[in-house]
Amino acid sequence: QVQLVESGGGLVQAGGSLRLSCTASGRTFSMYAEGWFREAPGKEREFVARIRWNGMTDYADSVKGRFTISRENDKSAMYLQMNSLKPEDTAVYYCAVDRYSDGEYDYWGQGTQVTVSS
């Protein structure tokens, strides 16, 4: 089992920045990916960013150039640096682990709220 805990959410004005953190505990996997997703009120959960076991990253078009995903393996931590935030970035942000980089996310955190005011 893997336990994930997000932190770093909050209220920020448009144009501001936040850094989300996700710490993991439990067993680890060699061919894994970690991702960030978000869910806004009345909308379905959507993909934000992913980092694979080999360091390769992917981003949703809506955040490309503004958000950066990174990882510190020795701390079992993953981060999402969010810059130039927009009101439409307001959502609950979740981190998740895909054990085998097959697109199926097996473990999820509880989420952290990000609110961007205009």
Side-chain angles (χ1 to χ4, degrees):
Q1 279 288 48
V2 174
Q3 292 79 42
L4 303 173
V5 179
E6 303 97 335
S7 61
L11 173 64
V12 64
Q13 288 188 332
S17 298
L18 281 175
R19 188 175 87 148
L20 305 183
S21 300
C22 175
T23 55
S25 60
R27 64 171 296 185
T28 58
F29 307 93
S30 58
M31 302 287 286
Y32 69 98
E34 295 175 277
W36 287 97
F37 292 76
R38 66 187 181 186
E39 187 171 339
K43 295 186 177 181
E44 293 187 354
R45 188 173 299 186
E46 65 175 2
F47 167 79
V48 175
R50 173 181 64 179
I51 184 165
R52 303 191 192 200
W53 62 274
N54 58 6
M56 291 184 64
T57 58
D58 300 287
Y59 296 92
D61 288 343
S62 60
V63 307
K64 203 170 292 184
R66 299 188 298 122
F67 291 10
T68 303
I69 189 171
S70 61
R71 185 179 63 220
E72 287 189 279
N73 288 336
D74 58 343
K75 297 182 179 180
S76 296
M78 178 179 63
Y79 306 99
L80 185 68
Q81 177 66 43
M82 305 186 295
N83 298 329
S84 302
L85 282 161
K86 304 175 181 180
E88 51 263 43
D89 294 318
T90 295
V92 177
Y93 284 71
Y94 300 89
C95 65
V97 169
D98 172 359
R99 290 183 291 178
Y100 307 116
S101 291
D102 60 0
E104 297 292 331
Y105 285 83
D106 308 285
Y107 303 103
W108 294 82
Q110 83 290 350
T112 185
Q113 176 71 48
V114 171
T115 303
V116 184
S117 63
S118 57

